[in-house]
Amino acid sequence: MSETAERLKRNNIRPSYARIRIMEYLMEHPVHPTVEDIYQNLVKEIPTLSKTTVYNTLDLFVRHNLARVVTIEENETRYDADTTNHGHFKCETCGSVYDFTINDDGLETKGIGDFAVTEKHVYFKGICKKCLYSKE
Amino acid sequence: MSETAERLKRNNIRPSYARIRIMEYLMEHPVHPTVEDIYQNLVKEIPTLSKTTVYNTLDLFVRHNLARVVTIEENETRYDADTTNHGHFKCETCGSVYDFTINDDGLETKGIGDFAVTEKHVYFKGICKKCLYSKE
DNA sequence: GTACACATTTATAATAAATCCAAGATTGGA
DNA sequence: TCCAATCTTGGATTTATTATAAATGTGTAC
Protein backbone atom coordinates (compact mmCIF):
# COMPACT_ATOMS: atom_id res chain seq x y z
CA MET A 1 0.00 0.00 0.00
CA SER A 2 1.26 3.44 -0.84
CA GLU A 3 2.52 5.80 1.79
CA THR A 4 -0.33 8.17 1.10
CA ALA A 5 -2.85 5.38 1.52
CA GLU A 6 -1.32 4.48 4.88
CA ARG A 7 -1.52 8.07 5.94
CA LEU A 8 -5.20 8.36 5.03
CA LYS A 9 -5.91 5.16 6.92
CA ARG A 10 -4.16 6.41 10.01
CA ASN A 11 -6.52 9.38 9.86
CA ASN A 12 -9.61 7.19 9.57
CA ILE A 13 -10.15 7.91 5.92
CA ARG A 14 -10.74 4.98 3.62
CA PRO A 15 -8.00 5.22 1.02
CA SER A 16 -10.00 5.14 -2.19
CA TYR A 17 -8.14 5.76 -5.42
CA ALA A 18 -9.62 9.22 -5.87
CA ARG A 19 -8.66 10.25 -2.35
CA ILE A 20 -5.13 8.97 -2.72
CA ARG A 21 -4.62 10.78 -6.01
CA ILE A 22 -6.13 14.02 -4.73
CA MET A 23 -3.91 13.97 -1.65
CA GLU A 24 -0.87 13.17 -3.78
CA TYR A 25 -1.74 15.99 -6.13
CA LEU A 26 -2.01 18.39 -3.22
CA MET A 27 1.38 17.34 -1.87
CA GLU A 28 3.12 17.32 -5.25
CA HIS A 29 1.75 20.75 -6.17
CA PRO A 30 2.21 22.96 -3.13
CA VAL A 31 1.02 25.99 -5.07
CA HIS A 32 -2.36 26.08 -3.34
CA PRO A 33 -4.42 24.71 -6.21
CA THR A 34 -8.11 25.40 -6.68
CA VAL A 35 -10.75 22.71 -7.06
CA GLU A 36 -10.70 23.45 -10.77
CA ASP A 37 -6.92 22.96 -10.98
CA ILE A 38 -7.11 19.63 -9.22
CA TYR A 39 -10.07 18.44 -11.23
CA GLN A 40 -8.64 19.42 -14.62
CA ASN A 41 -5.37 17.69 -13.96
CA LEU A 42 -6.67 14.51 -12.38
CA VAL A 43 -9.51 13.95 -14.83
CA LYS A 44 -6.82 13.25 -17.44
CA GLU A 45 -5.86 10.07 -15.66
CA ILE A 46 -9.20 9.36 -13.95
CA PRO A 47 -11.69 10.08 -16.74
CA THR A 48 -14.70 9.29 -14.58
CA LEU A 49 -13.69 11.72 -11.85
CA SER A 50 -16.40 14.20 -10.98
CA LYS A 51 -15.92 17.64 -9.56
CA THR A 52 -18.24 16.85 -6.69
CA THR A 53 -15.80 14.18 -5.59
CA VAL A 54 -13.01 16.73 -5.53
CA TYR A 55 -15.15 19.05 -3.38
CA ASN A 56 -16.19 16.24 -1.05
CA THR A 57 -12.69 14.87 -0.72
CA LEU A 58 -11.11 18.23 0.03
CA ASP A 59 -13.77 18.95 2.64
CA LEU A 60 -13.01 15.57 4.16
CA PHE A 61 -9.30 16.35 4.30
CA VAL A 62 -9.96 19.70 5.93
CA ARG A 63 -12.23 18.12 8.54
CA HIS A 64 -9.52 15.57 9.32
CA ASN A 65 -6.82 18.23 9.40
CA LEU A 66 -4.93 16.87 6.43
CA ALA A 67 -5.39 20.05 4.45
CA ARG A 68 -6.21 23.68 4.95
CA VAL A 69 -8.24 26.23 3.12
CA VAL A 70 -6.24 29.18 1.85
CA THR A 71 -8.23 32.34 1.25
CA ILE A 72 -6.60 35.39 -0.26
CA GLU A 73 -9.29 37.72 -1.48
CA GLU A 74 -10.34 35.55 -4.31
CA ASN A 75 -13.60 33.95 -5.02
CA GLU A 76 -12.04 30.56 -5.63
CA THR A 77 -11.12 28.50 -2.62
CA ARG A 78 -7.57 27.18 -2.59
CA TYR A 79 -6.23 24.20 -0.68
CA ASP A 80 -2.93 23.48 0.99
CA ALA A 81 -1.69 20.11 2.24
CA ASP A 82 0.68 21.88 4.63
CA THR A 83 -1.29 22.20 7.85
CA THR A 84 1.47 23.74 9.92
CA ASN A 85 1.14 27.37 10.81
CA HIS A 86 2.62 29.44 8.01
CA GLY A 87 1.88 32.60 6.13
CA HIS A 88 1.00 33.22 2.51
CA PHE A 89 2.22 35.96 0.28
CA LYS A 90 0.36 36.80 -2.88
CA CYS A 91 2.20 38.67 -5.60
CA GLU A 92 -0.21 41.11 -7.18
CA THR A 93 1.85 41.23 -10.35
CA CYS A 94 2.31 37.58 -11.25
CA GLY A 95 -0.40 36.12 -9.06
CA SER A 96 1.85 33.52 -7.44
CA VAL A 97 1.20 32.55 -3.86
CA TYR A 98 4.32 31.95 -1.79
CA ASP A 99 4.59 30.31 1.61
CA PHE A 100 6.62 31.87 4.35
CA THR A 101 7.33 30.78 7.87
CA ILE A 102 6.02 32.91 10.67
CA ASN A 103 6.72 33.10 14.33
CA ASP A 104 3.75 34.77 15.89
CA ASP A 105 5.10 34.74 19.43
CA GLY A 106 5.79 38.42 19.14
CA LEU A 107 2.43 39.29 17.66
CA GLU A 108 0.57 41.47 20.09
CA THR A 109 -3.17 41.28 19.94
CA LYS A 110 -5.45 43.55 21.89
CA GLY A 111 -9.18 43.15 22.08
CA ILE A 112 -9.64 39.40 22.00
CA GLY A 113 -8.09 38.57 25.33
CA ASP A 114 -10.47 35.89 26.53
CA PHE A 115 -11.28 34.40 23.16
CA ALA A 116 -10.37 30.82 22.34
CA VAL A 117 -8.26 30.93 19.18
CA THR A 118 -8.18 27.75 17.12
CA GLU A 119 -6.71 28.98 13.85
CA LYS A 120 -4.35 31.77 12.95
CA HIS A 121 -4.08 32.96 9.39
CA VAL A 122 -1.61 35.49 8.07
CA TYR A 123 -1.38 36.65 4.52
CA PHE A 124 0.47 39.48 2.90
CA LYS A 125 0.09 41.02 -0.50
CA GLY A 126 2.62 42.90 -2.55
CA ILE A 127 5.16 42.25 -5.25
CA CYS A 128 7.54 39.31 -5.19
CA LYS A 129 11.27 39.44 -5.74
CA LYS A 130 11.06 38.04 -9.24
CA CYS A 131 8.59 40.69 -10.40
CA LEU A 132 10.43 43.48 -8.58
CA TYR A 133 13.64 42.84 -10.48
CA SER A 134 12.07 42.22 -13.87
CA LYS A 135 10.21 45.53 -13.77
CA GLU A 136 10.51 47.50 -17.02
CA MET B 1 -21.98 69.38 1.52
CA SER B 2 -21.81 66.45 3.92
CA GLU B 3 -18.59 65.41 5.54
CA THR B 4 -18.67 62.12 3.68
CA ALA B 5 -19.10 63.92 0.38
CA GLU B 6 -16.07 66.11 1.16
CA ARG B 7 -14.07 63.05 1.97
CA LEU B 8 -14.95 61.36 -1.31
CA LYS B 9 -14.04 64.51 -3.20
CA ARG B 10 -10.68 64.72 -1.49
CA ASN B 11 -10.06 61.21 -2.79
CA ASN B 12 -11.03 62.11 -6.34
CA ILE B 13 -14.36 60.35 -6.24
CA ARG B 14 -17.40 62.19 -7.47
CA PRO B 15 -19.75 62.26 -4.51
CA SER B 16 -22.91 60.87 -6.04
CA TYR B 17 -25.79 60.08 -3.73
CA ALA B 18 -25.30 56.32 -4.02
CA ARG B 19 -21.61 56.61 -3.20
CA ILE B 20 -22.23 58.82 -0.19
CA ARG B 21 -24.86 56.53 1.25
CA ILE B 22 -22.77 53.40 0.66
CA MET B 23 -19.78 54.97 2.37
CA GLU B 24 -21.95 56.13 5.26
CA TYR B 25 -23.46 52.69 5.60
CA LEU B 26 -20.00 51.17 5.74
CA MET B 27 -18.92 53.57 8.45
CA GLU B 28 -22.10 53.30 10.49
CA HIS B 29 -22.05 49.50 10.36
CA PRO B 30 -18.51 48.41 11.14
CA VAL B 31 -19.54 44.77 11.16
CA HIS B 32 -17.96 44.00 7.79
CA PRO B 33 -21.16 43.86 5.78
CA THR B 34 -21.51 41.92 2.56
CA VAL B 35 -22.71 43.41 -0.72
CA GLU B 36 -26.06 41.79 -0.02
CA ASP B 37 -26.30 43.44 3.43
CA ILE B 38 -25.55 46.84 2.01
CA TYR B 39 -27.89 46.46 -0.92
CA GLN B 40 -30.83 45.14 1.12
CA ASN B 41 -30.59 47.98 3.62
CA LEU B 42 -29.99 50.83 1.21
CA VAL B 43 -32.58 49.77 -1.34
CA LYS B 44 -35.21 50.65 1.27
CA GLU B 45 -34.34 54.31 0.98
CA ILE B 46 -33.00 54.29 -2.58
CA PRO B 47 -35.52 52.10 -4.43
CA THR B 48 -33.72 52.44 -7.74
CA LEU B 49 -30.42 51.21 -6.36
CA SER B 50 -28.97 48.27 -8.22
CA LYS B 51 -26.63 45.66 -6.87
CA THR B 52 -24.18 46.36 -9.66
CA THR B 53 -23.83 49.88 -8.31
CA VAL B 54 -22.97 48.50 -4.90
CA TYR B 55 -20.32 46.26 -6.46
CA ASN B 56 -18.92 49.08 -8.58
CA THR B 57 -18.86 51.53 -5.73
CA LEU B 58 -17.17 49.19 -3.29
CA ASP B 59 -14.54 48.32 -5.88
CA LEU B 60 -14.00 52.02 -6.37
CA PHE B 61 -13.54 52.57 -2.64
CA VAL B 62 -11.06 49.72 -2.42
CA ARG B 63 -9.06 51.07 -5.33
CA HIS B 64 -8.95 54.49 -3.65
CA ASN B 65 -8.06 52.95 -0.30
CA LEU B 66 -11.23 54.08 1.41
CA ALA B 67 -12.27 50.52 2.19
CA ARG B 68 -10.79 47.08 2.46
CA VAL B 69 -11.89 43.63 1.50
CA VAL B 70 -12.22 41.28 4.44
CA THR B 71 -11.93 37.63 3.56
CA ILE B 72 -12.44 34.97 6.16
CA GLU B 73 -12.99 31.71 4.38
CA GLU B 74 -16.43 32.54 3.19
CA ASN B 75 -17.80 32.75 -0.25
CA GLU B 76 -19.21 36.21 0.27
CA THR B 77 -16.86 39.15 0.17
CA ARG B 78 -17.10 41.51 3.12
CA TYR B 79 -16.07 45.15 3.24
CA ASP B 80 -14.58 47.30 5.97
CA ALA B 81 -14.28 51.08 5.98
CA ASP B 82 -11.45 50.84 8.49
CA THR B 83 -8.32 50.76 6.37
CA THR B 84 -5.86 50.80 9.22
CA ASN B 85 -3.95 47.63 9.94
CA HIS B 86 -6.01 45.48 12.25
CA GLY B 87 -6.91 41.85 12.69
CA HIS B 88 -10.21 40.03 12.41
CA PHE B 89 -11.51 37.29 14.63
CA LYS B 90 -14.35 35.11 13.46
CA CYS B 91 -16.34 33.21 16.05
CA GLU B 92 -17.18 29.82 14.64
CA THR B 93 -20.12 29.47 16.99
CA CYS B 94 -22.07 32.68 16.52
CA GLY B 95 -20.48 33.82 13.27
CA SER B 96 -19.63 37.32 14.48
CA VAL B 97 -16.52 38.99 13.16
CA TYR B 98 -14.61 41.06 15.71
CA ASP B 99 -11.85 43.55 15.10
CA PHE B 100 -8.72 43.51 17.16
CA THR B 101 -5.65 45.66 17.12
CA ILE B 102 -2.36 44.08 16.18
CA ASN B 103 1.19 45.12 16.50
CA ASP B 104 3.11 43.15 13.97
CA ASP B 105 6.51 44.54 14.87
CA GLY B 106 7.29 41.30 16.61
CA LEU B 107 6.07 39.11 13.79
CA GLU B 108 9.00 37.27 12.33
CA THR B 109 8.72 36.30 8.71
CA LYS B 110 11.21 34.10 6.92
CA GLY B 111 11.17 33.40 3.24
CA ILE B 112 9.95 36.68 1.78
CA GLY B 113 12.93 38.81 2.64
CA ASP B 114 13.17 40.90 -0.49
CA PHE B 115 9.48 41.07 -1.27
CA ALA B 116 7.63 44.38 -1.29
CA VAL B 117 4.74 44.01 1.13
CA THR B 118 1.82 46.35 0.57
CA GLU B 119 -0.89 44.75 2.68
CA LYS B 120 -0.83 42.64 5.80
CA HIS B 121 -3.85 40.62 6.78
CA VAL B 122 -4.28 38.68 9.98
CA TYR B 123 -7.33 36.73 10.90
CA PHE B 124 -8.01 34.26 13.66
CA LYS B 125 -10.81 31.81 14.11
CA GLY B 126 -12.16 30.30 17.30
CA ILE B 127 -14.85 30.93 19.86
CA CYS B 128 -15.59 34.36 21.26
CA LYS B 129 -15.98 35.24 24.91
CA LYS B 130 -19.74 35.49 24.72
CA CYS B 131 -20.13 32.01 23.26
CA LEU B 132 -17.52 30.51 25.59
CA TYR B 133 -19.43 31.57 28.69
CA SER B 134 -22.89 30.75 27.42
CA LYS B 135 -21.88 27.20 26.56
CA GLU B 136 -24.41 24.60 27.82
C1' DG C 1 -16.40 -17.11 -3.44
C1' DT C 2 -20.97 -14.84 -2.68
C1' DA C 3 -24.15 -11.76 -0.76
C1' DC C 4 -25.26 -7.94 1.77
C1' DA C 5 -24.77 -3.55 4.05
C1' DC C 6 -22.50 0.52 3.83
C1' DA C 7 -19.38 3.91 1.86
C1' DT C 8 -18.08 6.30 -2.16
C1' DT C 9 -18.62 8.32 -6.57
C1' DT C 10 -21.18 10.11 -10.27
C1' DA C 11 -24.23 13.10 -13.12
C1' DT C 12 -27.52 16.39 -13.04
C1' DA C 13 -29.90 20.05 -11.27
C1' DA C 14 -30.36 23.91 -8.05
C1' DT C 15 -28.48 27.90 -5.72
C1' DA C 16 -25.96 31.97 -5.17
C1' DA C 17 -22.16 35.38 -5.89
C1' DA C 18 -20.03 38.12 -9.07
C1' DT C 19 -19.50 40.09 -13.60
C1' DC C 20 -20.75 41.86 -18.12
C1' DC C 21 -23.06 44.89 -21.08
C1' DA C 22 -25.83 48.18 -23.36
C1' DA C 23 -29.16 51.60 -22.52
C1' DG C 24 -30.75 55.34 -19.76
C1' DA C 25 -29.91 59.01 -16.24
C1' DT C 26 -27.10 62.38 -14.12
C1' DT C 27 -23.45 65.53 -13.67
C1' DG C 28 -19.98 69.35 -14.35
C1' DG C 29 -18.19 72.56 -17.33
C1' DA C 30 -18.32 75.34 -21.66
C1' DT D 1 -28.68 75.44 -21.72
C1' DC D 2 -26.22 71.96 -24.04
C1' DC D 3 -22.79 68.50 -24.55
C1' DA D 4 -19.67 65.07 -23.33
C1' DA D 5 -18.19 62.31 -19.86
C1' DT D 6 -19.37 59.76 -16.03
C1' DC D 7 -22.47 57.09 -13.29
C1' DT D 8 -26.32 54.01 -12.60
C1' DT D 9 -29.48 50.55 -13.88
C1' DG D 10 -31.56 45.97 -14.82
C1' DG D 11 -31.24 41.96 -16.96
C1' DA D 12 -28.56 38.34 -18.72
C1' DT D 13 -24.32 35.52 -18.02
C1' DT D 14 -20.77 33.28 -16.00
C1' DT D 15 -18.77 30.75 -12.41
C1' DA D 16 -18.24 28.48 -7.81
C1' DT D 17 -20.48 25.59 -4.76
C1' DT D 18 -24.04 22.56 -2.82
C1' DA D 19 -27.88 19.21 -2.95
C1' DT D 20 -29.86 15.05 -4.45
C1' DA D 21 -30.57 10.60 -5.94
C1' DA D 22 -28.94 6.85 -8.57
C1' DA D 23 -25.05 3.93 -9.54
C1' DT D 24 -20.91 1.88 -8.34
C1' DG D 25 -17.42 0.00 -5.38
C1' DT D 26 -15.71 -2.17 -0.98
C1' DG D 27 -15.19 -4.90 3.27
C1' DT D 28 -16.96 -8.52 5.92
C1' DA D 29 -19.69 -12.46 7.44
C1' DC D 30 -21.02 -16.55 5.90
Side-chain angles (χ1 to χ4, degrees):
Chain A
M1 192 183 292
S2 80
E3 217 170 297
T4 305
E6 301 274 16
R7 187 149 155 266
L8 293 182
K9 259 196 157 173
R10 276 201 304 279
N11 285 277
N12 298 314
I13 293 174
R14 285 235 291 239
S16 73
Y17 187 60
R19 289 170 176 176
I20 293 170
R21 291 301 297 127
I22 291 172
M23 174 54 77
E24 284 175 352
Y25 187 88
L26 261 191
M27 297 197 296
E28 287 160 12
H29 302 85
V31 292
H32 323 91
T34 63
V35 168
E36 189 65 24
D37 292 335
I38 298 168
Y39 173 74
Q40 287 303 338
N41 282 285
L42 289 184
V43 79
K44 292 177 197 160
E45 63 175 272
I46 316 173
T48 65
L49 184 69
S50 103
K51 221 181 258 187
T52 307
T53 298
V54 180
Y55 276 104
N56 291 340
T57 303
L58 290 169
D59 282 354
L60 190 71
F61 290 167
V62 170
R63 284 203 306 280
H64 285 78
N65 256 302
L66 293 177
R68 276 200 166 204
V69 172
V70 178
T71 317
I72 309 191
E73 280 179 37
E74 276 169 13
N75 32 14
E76 252 182 314
T77 305
R78 295 174 170 275
Y79 290 85
D80 189 346
D82 182 355
T83 57
T84 63
N85 199 23
H86 63 279
H88 293 109
F89 177 95
K90 164 141 190 180
C91 175
E92 299 192 275
T93 300
C94 67
S96 305
V97 177
Y98 296 82
D99 287 326
F100 63 88
T101 59
I102 53 172
N103 178 353
D104 58 23
D105 294 343
L107 186 68
E108 277 179 54
T109 57
K110 282 174 206 156
I112 51 169
D114 296 323
F115 291 22
V117 176
T118 55
E119 283 178 42
K120 296 180 179 182
H121 298 260
V122 176
Y123 72 91
F124 290 1
K125 295 174 80 177
I127 302 171
C128 75
K129 203 174 175 176
K130 215 185 293 178
C131 290
L132 273 177
Y133 288 116
S134 66
K135 268 245 178 98
E136 70 248 76
Chain B
M1 188 183 294
S2 79
E3 216 170 298
T4 305
E6 302 275 15
R7 187 149 156 267
L8 293 182
K9 260 197 156 170
R10 276 201 305 280
N11 285 276
N12 299 312
I13 294 175
R14 287 231 293 238
S16 73
Y17 187 60
R19 289 169 176 177
I20 292 170
R21 291 299 297 126
I22 290 171
M23 175 52 79
E24 284 175 353
Y25 186 89
L26 261 192
M27 296 197 297
E28 287 160 11
H29 300 86
V31 293
H32 322 90
T34 62
V35 168
E36 189 67 23
D37 293 335
I38 298 168
Y39 173 75
Q40 287 303 338
N41 282 286
L42 289 184
V43 80
K44 292 174 195 162
E45 63 175 272
I46 316 171
T48 65
L49 183 69
S50 106
K51 221 178 260 186
T52 305
T53 299
V54 180
Y55 276 105
N56 290 341
T57 304
L58 290 170
D59 282 355
L60 190 69
F61 290 168
V62 170
R63 283 203 308 279
H64 284 78
N65 255 302
L66 293 178
R68 274 200 168 204
V69 172
V70 178
T71 317
I72 309 192
E73 281 179 36
E74 275 170 14
N75 30 14
E76 253 183 313
T77 305
R78 294 172 170 277
Y79 290 85
D80 190 346
D82 181 355
T83 57
T84 63
N85 200 23
H86 63 279
H88 293 108
F89 177 94
K90 162 138 192 184
C91 175
E92 298 191 277
T93 300
C94 67
S96 305
V97 177
Y98 297 82
D99 286 328
F100 62 89
T101 60
I102 52 173
N103 178 351
D104 58 23
D105 293 344
L107 185 67
E108 279 178 53
T109 57
K110 282 175 205 153
I112 51 168
D114 296 323
F115 291 23
V117 176
T118 56
E119 284 180 41
K120 296 181 180 183
H121 296 260
V122 175
Y123 72 90
F124 290 0
K125 295 174 82 177
I127 303 172
C128 74
K129 203 174 175 175
K130 215 185 293 178
C131 290
L132 274 177
Y133 287 117
S134 65
K135 268 251 178 93
E136 66 247 81

